[in-house]
Amino acid sequence: MSVVKLEECRERIRSQLDNVVDFWLKYSHDTVHGGFFTCIGRDGSVYDELKYVWLQGRQVWMYSRLYRTMERFHKPEILEAAKAGGAFLRKFARVSRTSGQWKCAFCLTRDGKAVKVQRTIFSECFYIMAMDELSRVTGDQEMQLEAEQMMEQLIHWVRVDSSGLGRPQLPGDVPANSMAVPMMLLCLVQQLTGGRGPEVVQKYKELEQWCVQQILHHIQRDGTAILENVSVDGKELPGCSGRLQNPGHALEAGWFLLQYGAERTDEKIQSTAINKFIELPYQCGWDKTHGGLFYFLDVDGHCPTQLEWNMKLWWPHCEALIAFLMAYSQTRKPELLERFLQVYEYTFSHFPDANGGEWFGYLTQEGKVALDFKGGPFKGFFHVPRCLYMCERILDDLLANEDRTL
Amino acid sequence: MSVVKLEECRERIRSQLDNVVDFWLKYSHDTVHGGFFTCIGRDGSVYDELKYVWLQGRQVWMYSRLYRTMERFHKPEILEAAKAGGAFLRKFARVSRTSGQWKCAFCLTRDGKAVKVQRTIFSECFYIMAMDELSRVTGDQEMQLEAEQMMEQLIHWVRVDSSGLGRPQLPGDVPANSMAVPMMLLCLVQQLTGGRGPEVVQKYKELEQWCVQQILHHIQRDGTAILENVSVDGKELPGCSGRLQNPGHALEAGWFLLQYGAERTDEKIQSTAINKFIELPYQCGWDKTHGGLFYFLDVDGHCPTQLEWNMKLWWPHCEALIAFLMAYSQTRKPELLERFLQVYEYTFSHFPDANGGEWFGYLTQEGKVALDFKGGPFKGFFHVPRCLYMCERILDDLLANEDRTL
């Protein structure tokens, strides 16, 4: 692989990251009520004033991370945006305290009134990510403590008693291990411990190992498939839910595991991450006819019941780019770089909007733009910039060592 | 319009109805645990054993209605299927009785254990439809009473106090008038009163008028659009939810209103039904490029946030067929018959599966089959046979009077 090609990639990724940051700085800030507009149309106009909490938290995290770790984003306007978003979240996102437990809303009105609360843990996850990363920038100890307290509560819901989430216990609703939960918890452990001392690392060590084991339980069918939902003892579940594959999620879990493996030079985990969580979802998820990754598949080839199963969404492609580039940077196996470049070609020729800036998020199976907004209830300032940020950094490292092994 | 063409339509509709009834009789009955499988693949195989309560109720209703009103379906096997489905529903669908209120599950395991309960009224709606229609066939007074009791509770949830549904009251979640609610209630009033004496009609009269008024509140933008969600005082709501259009739903409401208007020879309602609830959704919802009705639209032309907005679903086409044919039969305006035939051509050339029987439910914007199952969480033995049943009966009437005005 030529260094020139990788330098081309890095330049494009860098300029896309600048473009995407500019887009959200320009269009998403609510200077009246604070927080961020998340429903932003093709041309940058706000088409709905609702503020989705996942996306508020993710945007605070992303601004803070860029400010803290990339020199060209270490600018007052980015810090101010992160702080303003954090203040809005702290003021409005937590809506109830039943039996001493906080619950975060899923969606707020423009002025911060709760519209909807999900009976899951994800609003809280992104709240924690936001508070921890922002506190690293501002040095706000109280905020960091708040992140850890919310984390304790999350762990309680996941591992001890989920009744605080408000979901009724039903006899037919057997507990399951859904990929999203250990993945998010592993991501949070990496967030809370990264660059901190051994005491903090120790505090979350057992949880981290539990998350990794829970993720590994999703390897099913004698190691030939990653399934999205398994039983709590790691068996395949019956029906559509049990057969569901979500290639983008598996790829994301793959690079979380790669990070975990690299930190402790655990080659077994690294190789499992690549062979199972990155290679298998790519093999089953890549559309050989039209290119791109399917959103959902059924491991037995039945038609998934999700209406959007065959659409090409931006975020699985973002996760695939990070996963393959990270896998290559850890192994230097040329076939992994080839995969990266294949996903890269599809992604950059389909998702970015050269006219309006930012990326389209939702394409038909054939690659036509199906929904043309830049931000919506589930698409905000997160997967695109995180992918570009991660890839730029990995490419920086690779190219800095180019004479060695590239 | 030639009588020959309408006779052709009737023959095709009649044979399709036979085909669809055969399909569900053959593939959907669970002879071990009772009730109906609802997740049925392209070829009739069961790909998931979950039993969705909306679809259980709808199938009981449809079998009972066919048995009661169409001679060729007045067969023991259809009666037995309806009774078996009704018994399964009565035994398993009602899952809780908090403060004296029944709540129906949304989804059950094969053996009847509750998997999920929605915080809406729709499982209960289809439970009522099933029990009332089945009791008309069997003469079971207790069952009929049960339908009325559930109806009382529904009315309480909708008009007095919704807290029994289990949805938390949130300050940003302003109460809204969602089309589905008054539509379903109007449908239930028509179900419970149809062919019964003046006492029953009187009992539901005020509710029926309330439903009609609530439906009429969805005429917005100076009479130029039907919006899916409006405020409780009949004003447009802000944001995506306020701008949402669901042409299939509006068309369905249209023929409910047409029935209401015809029963009392209320020409004003009939003309509103046709001009607003049938003509406007067709005008905005018909895809001029590829044909077929869009699933969702935004009245201001923004992209809807529902990923499936541009897909062509079977049920809006079913509702459109009933609506236009009923409108024509009430008015004899040739342009309404032309519309019927346009929808008919699209529908019959795209949805029926000549090989496996029954209809596909979900097409891409371009009309390609996107999900190939015949039954799923929201597609059962209901919209297709109800449409075919209604259209066959209307065509029978039209053709019986052909020499008069056709």
Side-chain angles (χ1 to χ4, degrees):
Chain A
M1 186 57 53
S2 81
V3 169
V4 174
K5 177 67 192 166
L6 284 196
E7 278 175 344
E8 266 177 41
C9 288
R10 178 170 64 174
E11 280 320 295
R12 192 168 189 181
I13 283 169
R14 186 203 293 264
S15 92
Q16 279 287 309
L17 182 54
D18 291 344
N19 169 293
V20 168
V21 171
D22 285 348
F23 183 95
W24 291 88
L25 284 173
K26 185 169 174 187
Y27 296 120
S28 73
H29 296 188
D30 182 355
T31 52
V32 177
H33 292 279
F36 310 115
F37 295 116
T38 48
C39 291
I40 299 182
R42 177 180 195 133
D43 62 352
S45 60
V46 174
Y47 64 85
D48 195 315
E49 295 181 344
L50 289 176
K51 290 173 176 164
Y52 289 89
V53 169
W54 293 18
L55 306 187
Q56 304 290 314
R58 286 165 160 183
Q59 190 157 352
V60 170
W61 177 83
M62 193 74 240
Y63 278 149
S64 303
R65 175 62 64 95
L66 289 172
Y67 180 85
R68 182 166 72 87
T69 63
M70 272 193 156
E71 202 181 328
R72 74 181 190 279
F73 297 114
H74 195 80
K75 297 191 294 189
E77 61 176 327
I78 289 181
L79 176 61
E80 286 314 309
K83 284 162 73 175
F88 184 85
L89 267 180
R90 284 183 103 175
K91 193 165 175 189
F92 298 116
R94 295 167 301 177
V95 291
S96 66
R97 196 167 190 174
T98 50
S99 58
Q101 296 182 343
W102 286 111
K103 188 81 191 75
C104 285
F106 173 69
C107 181
L108 305 169
T109 58
R110 183 177 176 186
D111 60 354
K113 291 201 277 288
V115 176
K116 192 177 169 187
V117 179
Q118 285 186 318
R119 298 177 290 185
T120 61
I121 60 166
F122 304 112
S123 289
E124 290 77 9
C125 288
F126 297 114
Y127 188 90
I128 293 167
M129 274 178 79
M131 292 304 148
D132 184 77
E133 188 63 29
L134 180 56
S135 75
R136 288 167 182 260
V137 167
T138 60
D140 185 334
Q141 293 300 311
E142 197 188 321
M143 183 180 281
Q144 207 278 322
L145 188 65
E146 195 183 306
E148 291 207 32
Q149 285 169 344
M150 188 70 92
M151 183 72 176
E152 290 309 311
Q153 185 182 285
L154 251 181
I155 296 166
H156 179 80
W157 285 336
V158 172
R159 300 187 67 182
V160 183
D161 177 9
S162 67
S163 63
L165 294 173
R167 194 172 284 276
Q169 299 290 307
L170 296 168
D173 184 22
V174 291
N177 166 359
S178 163
M179 179 81 100
V181 172
M183 257 179 74
M184 273 307 311
L185 283 183
L186 179 59
C187 174
L188 289 174
V189 169
Q190 294 177 341
Q191 174 67 38
L192 292 167
T193 57
R196 292 215 169 91
E199 199 177 309
V200 181
V201 172
Q202 189 57 37
K203 177 178 173 185
Y204 291 112
K205 192 174 174 187
E206 187 274 334
L207 175 64
E208 189 173 34
Q209 286 168 349
W210 180 84
C211 291
V212 170
Q213 287 313 308
Q214 293 288 305
I215 292 171
L216 295 179
H217 281 172
H218 292 263
I219 308 173
Q220 293 289 322
R221 305 267 174 132
D222 295 323
T224 63
I226 303 298
L227 300 183
E228 184 71 4
N229 305 296
V230 296
S231 73
V232 287
D233 57 346
K235 302 289 191 306
E236 186 171 331
L237 292 166
C240 293
S241 164
R243 295 191 307 267
L244 187 68
Q245 296 178 290
N246 180 334
H249 238 178
L251 285 154
E252 189 177 2
W255 70 260
F256 290 178
L257 290 177
L258 274 185
Q259 284 191 322
Y260 172 88
E263 272 166 26
R264 44 190 62 63
T265 332
D266 183 336
E267 283 177 20
K268 185 147 172 275
I269 284 286
Q270 286 171 292
S271 123
T272 301
I274 293 170
N275 296 330
K276 302 303 178 187
F277 288 85
I278 298 178
E279 195 59 24
L280 290 178
Y282 170 82
Q283 289 298 344
C284 81
W286 189 261
D287 181 349
K288 274 85 181 170
T289 309
H290 301 284
L293 290 161
F294 288 112
Y295 192 14
F296 293 113
L297 292 163
D298 178 295
V299 69
D300 283 339
H302 296 285
C303 179
T305 55
Q306 290 85 355
L307 303 198
E308 65 274 27
W309 75 272
N310 66 357
M311 291 177 73
K312 310 292 166 62
L313 271 65
W314 85 108
W315 71 262
H317 297 81
C318 292
E319 303 313 312
L321 288 172
I322 302 172
F324 279 117
L325 195 58
M326 193 182 284
Y328 172 69
S329 82
Q330 290 189 10
T331 63
R332 305 297 164 108
K333 289 188 180 162
E335 64 269 27
L336 292 167
L337 190 56
E338 277 164 36
R339 295 263 196 265
F340 167 77
L341 287 169
Q342 188 189 8
V343 180
Y344 175 90
E345 291 304 334
Y346 182 88
T347 303
F348 282 84
S349 62
H350 284 82
F351 289 105
D353 177 13
N355 299 316
E358 240 276 345
W359 291 21
F360 296 116
Y362 304 88
L363 314 179
T364 65
Q365 179 176 5
E366 292 78 14
K368 193 185 76 173
V369 175
L371 292 92
D372 71 1
F373 51 73
K374 304 299 169 52
F378 294 95
K379 182 174 187 289
F381 183 65
F382 185 62
H383 288 97
V384 176
R386 182 174 72 168
C387 164
L388 297 167
Y389 160 82
M390 295 289 293
C391 289
E392 185 183 325
R393 287 170 63 102
I394 299 171
L395 285 167
D396 280 346
D397 283 349
L398 282 171
L399 289 162
N401 299 308
E402 63 179 272
D403 48 333
R404 208 183 62 200
T405 47
L406 191 70
Chain B
M1 187 58 54
S2 81
V3 169
V4 174
K5 176 69 191 164
L6 283 196
E7 280 175 343
E8 264 177 43
C9 288
R10 179 173 61 175
E11 281 320 295
R12 191 167 190 180
I13 283 168
R14 185 201 295 262
S15 92
Q16 278 288 309
L17 181 55
D18 290 345
N19 170 292
V20 168
V21 171
D22 286 347
F23 184 94
W24 291 87
L25 284 173
K26 184 167 175 188
Y27 296 120
S28 73
H29 295 188
D30 182 355
T31 52
V32 177
H33 293 278
F36 310 116
F37 295 117
T38 48
C39 292
I40 298 181
R42 177 179 196 133
D43 61 353
S45 60
V46 174
Y47 64 86
D48 195 314
E49 294 181 344
L50 290 176
K51 291 173 176 164
Y52 290 89
V53 170
W54 292 19
L55 306 187
Q56 303 290 314
R58 286 164 159 183
Q59 190 156 353
V60 171
W61 177 84
M62 193 75 240
Y63 277 149
S64 305
R65 174 63 64 95
L66 288 172
Y67 180 85
R68 183 167 69 87
T69 64
M70 272 193 157
E71 201 181 329
R72 73 182 190 277
F73 298 113
H74 196 79
K75 297 191 294 190
E77 60 175 329
I78 289 182
L79 176 60
E80 285 314 309
K83 283 161 74 174
F88 184 85
L89 267 181
R90 283 182 105 174
K91 191 164 178 192
F92 298 117
R94 294 166 303 177
V95 290
S96 66
R97 197 167 189 174
T98 49
S99 59
Q101 296 183 344
W102 287 111
K103 188 83 192 75
C104 285
F106 173 70
C107 182
L108 304 170
T109 59
R110 182 176 176 186
D111 60 353
K113 291 200 277 289
V115 176
K116 192 178 169 187
V117 179
Q118 285 186 319
R119 299 177 291 186
T120 60
I121 60 166
F122 304 111
S123 288
E124 290 78 9
C125 289
F126 298 113
Y127 188 90
I128 293 167
M129 274 178 78
M131 293 304 149
D132 184 77
E133 187 65 27
L134 180 56
S135 75
R136 288 167 181 260
V137 168
T138 61
D140 184 333
Q141 292 300 310
E142 198 189 321
M143 184 181 281
Q144 208 277 320
L145 187 66
E146 195 184 305
E148 292 207 32
Q149 284 169 343
M150 187 69 92
M151 183 71 177
E152 291 308 311
Q153 186 181 285
L154 250 182
I155 297 166
H156 178 81
W157 285 336
V158 172
R159 299 188 67 181
V160 182
D161 177 9
S162 66
S163 63
L165 295 172
R167 193 172 284 278
Q169 298 291 308
L170 296 169
D173 184 22
V174 291
N177 167 357
S178 163
M179 180 81 99
V181 173
M183 257 179 73
M184 274 308 312
L185 283 183
L186 179 59
C187 174
L188 290 173
V189 169
Q190 294 177 343
Q191 173 67 39
L192 292 167
T193 58
R196 292 216 169 91
E199 200 177 310
V200 180
V201 173
Q202 189 59 35
K203 177 178 175 185
Y204 292 112
K205 193 174 174 187
E206 188 274 333
L207 175 64
E208 188 174 36
Q209 286 168 350
W210 179 85
C211 291
V212 170
Q213 287 313 309
Q214 292 289 305
I215 293 171
L216 295 179
H217 281 172
H218 292 263
I219 308 172
Q220 292 289 322
R221 304 269 174 132
D222 294 325
T224 62
I226 304 298
L227 301 183
E228 185 71 5
N229 304 297
V230 295
S231 72
V232 287
D233 58 345
K235 302 288 192 303
E236 186 172 330
L237 290 166
C240 292
S241 163
R243 295 192 307 267
L244 187 68
Q245 296 178 290
N246 181 333
H249 237 177
L251 284 154
E252 188 176 4
W255 71 259
F256 290 179
L257 290 177
L258 274 184
Q259 284 192 322
Y260 173 89
E263 273 165 26
R264 43 189 63 63
T265 334
D266 183 336
E267 284 178 20
K268 188 149 170 272
I269 284 287
Q270 286 170 293
S271 120
T272 300
I274 294 171
N275 297 328
K276 303 304 179 187
F277 287 85
I278 298 178
E279 194 59 26
L280 289 178
Y282 169 82
Q283 289 298 345
C284 80
W286 189 261
D287 181 347
K288 275 88 183 167
T289 309
H290 301 284
L293 290 162
F294 288 111
Y295 193 13
F296 292 113
L297 292 164
D298 178 295
V299 68
D300 283 341
H302 297 285
C303 179
T305 55
Q306 290 84 356
L307 304 197
E308 66 275 27
W309 76 271
N310 66 357
M311 292 176 74
K312 309 292 165 63
L313 271 66
W314 84 108
W315 71 262
H317 297 82
C318 292
E319 303 312 311
L321 288 172
I322 303 171
F324 279 115
L325 194 58
M326 192 182 285
Y328 172 70
S329 82
Q330 289 190 10
T331 64
R332 304 298 162 106
K333 289 188 179 162
E335 64 268 27
L336 292 166
L337 190 56
E338 278 164 36
R339 295 265 195 264
F340 167 78
L341 287 169
Q342 187 188 9
V343 179
Y344 175 90
E345 292 303 335
Y346 181 88
T347 302
F348 282 83
S349 62
H350 284 82
F351 290 105
D353 176 14
N355 299 317
E358 241 276 344
W359 290 20
F360 297 115
Y362 303 88
L363 313 179
T364 65
Q365 180 177 4
E366 292 78 13
K368 192 185 77 173
V369 174
L371 291 92
D372 71 2
F373 51 74
K374 303 296 169 53
F378 295 94
K379 182 173 187 290
F381 183 65
F382 185 61
H383 287 98
V384 176
R386 183 175 72 168
C387 164
L388 297 167
Y389 160 80
M390 295 289 294
C391 288
E392 184 182 327
R393 287 170 61 101
I394 297 171
L395 285 166
D396 280 346
D397 283 349
L398 282 171
L399 288 162
N401 298 306
E402 64 177 270
D403 49 333
R404 207 184 62 200
T405 48
L406 191 72

